Amino acid sequence: MRVMAQMGMVMNLDKCIGCHTCSVTCKQAWTNRAGTEYVWFNNVETRPGQGYPRRYEDQEKWRGGWELNKRGRLQLRTGGRLKRLLSIFASPVQPELADYYEPWTYDYKTLVDAPLGDDFPVARPKSLITGEDTQVTWSANWDDDLGGAPEMGHLDPLVERVRRESEDKIRFELEQTFMFYLPRICEHCLNPSCMASCPSGAIYKRSEDGIVLVDQDRCRGWRQCITGCPYKKMYFNHKSGKAEKCTFCYPRVEVGIPTVCSETCVGRLRYLGLFLYDADAVTQAASVPDERDLYQAQLELLLDPHDPAVVAAARKQGIPEDWLDAARRSPVYALAKTYGVALPLHPEYRTMPMVWYVPPLSPVVDLLAEQGHDAEDRDVLFGAIDALRIPVEYLAELFTAGDTAVVTDVLRKLAAMRSYMRGVNLGRAPDTSIPASVGMTQESVYAMYRLMAIAKYDERYVIPKAHVEQAHELEEIGCALDYDEGPGMYASSVFGEASGQRVPVAVETYHALRQRQTSDVPAGSEELHGRVNLLNWDGNGVPEGLFPPRHDEEAPR
Amino acid sequence: MSVVLWGVLPYLVIATLVLGTIWRYRYDKFGWTTRSSQLYESRLLRIGSPLFHFGILVVLVGHIVGLLIPESWTTTLGLSEHAYHIQAITLGGVAGFCTLVGIAILIVRRRTTGPVFMATTNNDKAMYVVLVAAIALGLLTTLVAIGAGAHAHDYRQTVSPWFRSLFRLNPDVDAMAASPAQFQIHALVGMLLFAIWPFTRLVHAFTAPVHYLFRPYIVYRSSDAQVPAPTGRARPGWSPVGTADRDRRSR
Ligand code: SF4
Ligand code: SF4
């Protein structure tokens, strides 16, 4: 047993209101750069819907992830190593920009500069790729809220499959519609196929916390990872010619702050915490023959942090005590394993994804409420879960490779929690039969309720800090998605400005913040080397770099 | 003149190639990439790129065999000069032709596909000129050889000995000077190509990922690798979104 720690996330889909705040803040933090205009490390898609990039789940076409070869061994869906190397000159199935969308901006300047006239000036859309006028025809969430579903609903690969498998049709008529939002980031898989497809070996998993990163200095732009990732969460920066992906906001996580998407989530539906898993068992778990056993296999990989044998093995691997403590308090472990209500997205891709989802009960509840039933009554809910086959089948395609029994089980737990807690809140005697009917105890239902409904900040996010003595191991190098003004910023080192250890990005922000709070000179400019950190700017003076240099000042340079 | 061209210049080129590559590797790992444009267009690329790359790989092998293996060795193996010549010309001709067609497709694609053309730097354009010239001239030597039939010039008596003598640090200038003009020009352009190599996107060839065949699929890293010295400048890859980055003058 080789115990390793993995940062994981759980999203409670019932709470997602589809506001895209997470996507926007993530974009502001990471991909508001030339070359990544079309890139959303975090995106929110309406399901049923095509997703982003369009129909990415159709692996017959995109060939992402793993499959079992004839001998039952795990192999990338695009083939063996030699075959892949030979197809390096033109990736056979790489999505094109059109499969994402052509990013655009508007020509806002005309609004101000247009000469006086009879017509109102308009800001035309301009392609960010060519700079020419363009027609906006698609975006990362064009089919938001089922927009266009009557025409395009059938283009969802899962709808296709559910239709094929059931005689019932998923109809996109209003009265029978169900929908929910699915926020997606990189899954930081235990068995990442992006990594396995990288010819240069530039993609790596940090052994301390399992975050998957691309070493920007080793990536050579062979773009095989983009095909390799079944979730299409590996992106090609067309300006730098390198692959980029969600970083799990590692500079923040290292200092114990949640990722930007979690921190800003309006629905407070994201949970962050540690998993302990057995790294030696990953390949075997990913190779179980029946797709429907993959969820169970993945669950078995997660080790119980309360088990003394696990703790001893973890200590032997050098996992620090406070990390073990965090693992014991981990909300993601609780939701995924203890309560068993969080499910992995598309386990059938065999990458062992580490972002888990609590499937939404709301399609069922909404329907019941609409029809005038009591949507908090256990029997009504249970009956509806069984009767409403379409939502359940659809969710099963998403989370359990089509195994409806698991999804039904989870939904029943959520329904049980709902009706049990209603009784409690109404001051009735707690109905002990409800927890028992889903194999839980009153205590565990209540604890689950606390975690899922009350969801205090420090219960949602249990993030152990990176260790200072490990700081050099949690390299920030390799991932060029940061600034490296680094050391000597707050104290000069022995060998002058550029020597010494670099300071993690989030630490930099923290220091800047403290400096601003305690000083009476304008914030920012000098410490940030000409960059402006608007978050820290207190409106005091004009920091250097806030405005572009004036032309007359530019001349002498 | 000959001494300069065939005795001094080659060493300058080798020095540029080696030092330039080392320099680039040390200071511009972030810029070391294929700069693939498949995201913009892939229909033509899927034809042109493999045609070009596989063609040029065969051409490379042909050059290695032709330049490094002395004629006496192949004759000892029972391969007559004539037979060698025929196979070299056919194979080289076909491969060279594929390469040329491939790069022609790629250049047409580059010129006609808007986004791809936008992403073409001046550096790329200069590189394309030299690359195409080298390939075309190489093919020309083959055509001349075909035209001359049995009287074709045997470069393995002139160019090859010169090439090998370079590595013995005792350049056989006279041998090269004795070769026909088309070979000399091809060699000169070839040298130019190698001299600019480290400074163009061609560097990606030096990191051909052959080790992919042997490495483990999953890479764990916890290295205490040396942190690169901070430069004090914002790192590459952080230019703001907007059409301005498409401004050709800023390149
Ligand atoms: S989801 Fe992330 S870790 Fe998993 S294969 Fe895709 S890019 Fe790699
Ligand atoms: S911020 Fe939260 S609620 Fe809003 S779309 Fe993202 S995950 Fe959903």
Side-chain angles (χ1 to χ4, degrees):
Chain A
M1 183 157 63
R2 187 160 53 107
V3 182
M4 290 183 89
Q6 166 80 38
M7 279 305 295
M9 187 187 282
V10 170
M11 300 191 215
N12 181 358
L13 294 184
D14 257 335
K15 292 190 182 182
C16 181
I17 58 171
C19 64
H20 299 271
T21 307
C22 47
S23 308
V24 171
T25 50
C26 170
K27 191 151 188 53
Q28 287 300 328
W30 292 108
T31 57
N32 59 346
R33 291 167 287 134
T36 58
E37 305 91 346
Y38 76 100
V39 173
W40 297 84
F41 287 166
N42 182 106
N43 76 294
V44 183
E45 30 195 68
T46 303
R47 305 315 298 258
Q50 298 188 50
Y52 158 83
R54 262 179 265 189
R55 289 173 59 79
Y56 68 92
E57 283 153 315
D58 182 0
Q59 303 307 342
E60 296 293 310
K61 168 149 195 239
W62 298 116
R63 317 204 64 71
W66 303 86
E67 63 186 1
L68 295 184
N69 65 13
K70 285 191 210 81
R71 284 172 294 140
R73 299 257 311 268
L74 210 54
Q75 180 187 310
L76 288 171
R77 207 183 264 269
T78 34
R81 295 172 191 249
L82 193 62
K83 178 166 170 223
R84 298 181 40 76
L85 214 48
L86 288 178
S87 61
I88 201 171
F89 299 131
S91 237
V93 279
Q94 192 197 328
E96 282 178 52
L97 209 49
D99 294 304
Y100 301 89
Y101 69 102
E102 184 168 348
W104 75 92
T105 182
Y106 291 95
D107 182 13
Y108 296 109
K109 224 170 155 197
T110 39
L111 297 184
V112 183
D113 289 358
L116 203 59
D118 291 338
D119 306 319
F120 280 107
V122 287
R124 287 169 192 257
K126 297 267 181 200
S127 163
L128 279 172
I129 299 297
T130 61
E132 307 289 321
D133 282 347
T134 184
Q135 291 290 335
V136 180
T137 54
W138 196 261
S139 80
N141 59 341
W142 201 250
D143 52 0
D144 218 9
D145 293 346
L146 298 182
E151 290 89 48
M152 296 185 300
H154 62 283
L155 288 174
D156 178 338
L158 301 189
V159 170
E160 261 174 19
R161 200 144 4 123
V162 175
R163 278 192 178 166
R164 224 181 298 140
E165 283 164 14
S166 71
E167 324 86 74
D168 302 327
K169 301 265 179 283
I170 296 192
R171 305 269 298 277
F172 289 95
E173 286 160 12
L174 211 59
E175 62 273 19
Q176 278 163 309
T177 296
F178 73 98
M179 77 167 201
F180 58 95
Y181 302 103
L182 182 73
R184 294 199 305 127
I185 64 171
C186 160
E187 304 282 338
H188 296 273
C189 310
L190 296 185
N191 186 34
S193 51
C194 59
M195 194 179 285
S197 351
C198 173
S200 321
I203 305 172
Y204 61 99
K205 196 167 181 61
R206 302 209 299 184
S207 42
E208 290 80 5
D209 54 15
I211 294 177
V212 177
L213 294 175
V214 186
D215 183 337
Q216 294 287 307
D217 279 349
R218 281 202 212 173
C219 171
R220 304 279 173 246
W222 301 117
R223 72 216 173 283
Q224 301 300 306
C225 52
I226 294 155
T227 308
C229 171
Y231 304 92
K232 292 292 169 278
K233 276 293 167 190
M234 190 56 94
Y235 299 91
F236 192 72
N237 178 326
H238 60 87
K239 181 109 188 293
S240 68
K242 307 248 164 170
E244 290 187 15
K245 66 181 285 301
C246 156
T247 62
F248 214 84
C249 290
Y250 70 92
R252 295 171 59 91
V253 167
E254 276 171 17
V255 292
I257 315 176
T259 66
V260 169
C261 54
S262 310
E263 178 88 274
T264 58
C265 174
V266 173
R268 302 184 180 184
L269 56 92
R270 297 188 186 220
Y271 297 79
L272 293 171
L274 280 186
F275 290 117
L276 297 182
Y277 71 101
D278 181 2
D280 286 337
V282 172
T283 310
Q284 210 195 346
S287 336
V288 297
D290 186 353
E291 284 186 346
R292 298 197 170 179
D293 295 338
L294 279 162
Y295 163 61
Q296 200 51 44
Q298 184 163 336
L299 218 49
E300 273 155 26
L301 274 182
L302 306 181
L303 301 171
D304 180 1
H306 301 281
D307 178 349
V310 172
V311 173
R315 286 202 182 109
K316 230 167 70 203
Q317 297 291 327
I319 299 180
E321 284 311 313
D322 55 335
W323 279 56
L324 290 177
D325 180 50
R328 281 188 286 269
R329 291 185 292 122
S330 166
V332 295
Y333 178 80
L335 290 170
K337 191 138 179 186
T338 316
Y339 307 131
V341 289
L343 302 172
L345 181 64
H346 289 303
E348 72 273 21
Y349 298 160
R350 297 180 186 273
T351 61
M352 305 274 125
M354 280 296 124
V355 173
W356 303 59
Y357 293 89
V358 180
L361 189 61
S362 50
V364 179
V365 173
D366 288 352
L367 229 81
L368 286 176
E370 252 164 52
Q371 294 170 357
H373 296 288
D374 177 2
E376 282 171 355
D377 181 83
R378 171 186 52 171
D379 296 326
V380 174
L381 272 171
F382 280 12
I385 292 170
D386 292 335
L388 289 174
R389 287 185 36 213
I390 295 301
V392 172
E393 274 172 30
Y394 189 88
L395 291 173
E397 290 294 342
L398 213 46
F399 298 120
T400 56
D403 186 351
T404 48
V406 175
V407 174
T408 311
D409 223 41
V410 173
L411 292 182
R412 283 168 145 253
K413 280 183 192 162
L414 298 178
M417 178 178 86
R418 207 179 156 86
S419 49
Y420 174 78
M421 284 314 297
R422 178 176 67 166
V424 171
N425 287 336
L426 290 181
R428 294 182 193 149
D431 182 351
T432 47
S433 74
I434 297 180
S437 65
V438 289
M440 294 178 81
T441 62
Q442 294 196 65
E443 287 74 30
S444 63
V445 168
Y446 186 74
M448 185 165 101
Y449 159 80
R450 256 198 80 83
L451 189 56
M452 293 184 62
I454 312 284
K456 290 275 187 213
Y457 189 90
D458 50 358
E459 287 174 19
R460 264 182 292 143
Y461 308 131
V462 180
I463 308 167
K465 290 200 183 85
H467 276 244
V468 188
E469 65 271 18
Q470 280 186 341
H472 63 295
E473 295 175 2
L474 284 166
E475 52 205 310
E476 274 198 357
I477 60 136
C479 190
L481 302 180
D482 56 32
Y483 290 104
D484 68 347
E485 274 87 340
M489 276 176 50
Y490 311 110
S492 36
S493 318
V494 212
F495 301 113
E497 269 242 300
S499 63
Q501 284 285 314
R502 289 194 327 148
V503 184
V505 180
V507 173
E508 174 192 283
T509 316
Y510 168 76
H511 280 279
L513 195 64
R514 203 182 52 183
Q515 235 160 28
R516 155 168 108 67
Q517 285 164 343
T518 54
S519 87
D520 20 73
V521 292
S525 52
E526 208 176 313
E527 297 80 16
L528 294 174
H529 291 254
R531 274 185 296 136
V532 188
N533 188 338
L534 280 179
L535 275 181
N536 297 331
W537 182 45
D538 52 0
N540 190 0
V542 180
E544 191 188 322
L546 182 60
F547 297 111
R550 293 191 181 193
H551 287 302
D552 46 319
E553 280 171 16
E554 225 170 18
R557 278 209 217 151
Chain B
M1 185 64 181
S2 304
V3 178
V4 174
L5 283 187
W6 315 120
V8 179
L9 195 59
Y11 291 107
L12 292 181
V13 168
I14 293 174
T16 328
L17 180 65
V18 172
L19 295 179
T21 308
I22 294 174
W23 170 81
R24 179 98 188 255
Y25 190 76
R26 286 198 53 148
Y27 295 107
D28 187 29
K29 284 206 195 89
F30 185 63
W32 195 295
T33 146
T34 58
R35 291 235 328 279
S36 160
S37 56
Q38 189 168 4
L39 189 67
Y40 301 133
E41 200 277 355
S42 100
R43 198 175 48 86
L44 285 175
L45 181 101
R46 295 252 298 269
I47 309 168
S49 177
L51 211 55
F52 168 74
H53 281 96
F54 285 118
I56 201 99
L57 285 179
V58 175
V59 168
L60 175 74
V61 173
H63 275 70
I64 291 176
V65 173
L67 290 176
L68 288 187
I69 300 185
E71 189 165 345
S72 53
W73 292 17
T74 46
T75 350
T76 340
L77 284 179
L79 193 66
S80 76
E81 152 61 17
H82 186 64
Y84 177 88
H85 196 69
I86 299 281
Q87 68 84 20
I89 278 186
T90 5
L91 210 61
V94 171
F97 185 69
C98 289
T99 315
L100 198 64
V101 172
I103 200 165
I105 296 178
L106 291 179
I107 290 177
V108 168
R109 162 181 180 273
R110 211 156 253 288
R111 185 66 195 84
T112 52
T113 316
V116 187
F117 187 53
M118 302 282 305
T120 310
T121 60
N122 290 334
N123 181 315
D124 292 342
K125 288 177 195 159
M127 182 275 290
Y128 270 113
V129 171
V130 180
L131 184 60
V132 172
I135 296 171
L137 287 165
L139 211 51
L140 183 76
T141 62
T142 316
L143 287 182
V144 171
I146 293 174
H151 308 293
H153 176 74
D154 183 7
Y155 58 85
R156 297 207 296 162
Q157 304 282 7
T158 55
V159 185
S160 307
W162 164 74
F163 186 78
R164 289 193 295 270
S165 70
L166 286 178
F167 296 96
R168 289 195 301 269
L169 300 183
N170 181 18
D172 188 352
V173 175
D174 297 335
M176 187 63 197
S179 67
Q182 72 268 23
F183 283 98
Q184 297 190 353
I185 302 176
H186 176 60
L188 283 177
V189 176
M191 283 197 270
L192 179 61
L193 183 66
F194 282 111
I196 63 168
W197 196 286
F199 313 104
T200 63
R201 65 200 293 180
L202 294 179
V203 282
H204 73 265
F206 289 151
T207 45
V210 187
H211 59 289
Y212 180 57
L213 296 175
F214 314 106
R215 75 169 178 83
Y217 270 142
I218 306 303
V219 184
Y220 293 104
R221 232 165 91 177
S222 165
S223 75
D224 34 12
Q226 209 58 91
V227 176
T231 54
R233 276 176 273 126
R235 287 182 80 154
W238 279 90
S239 8
V241 170
T243 42
D245 73 281
R246 290 287 171 185
D247 187 354
R248 328 302 296 284
R249 283 164 308 172
S250 61
R251 294 249 165 83

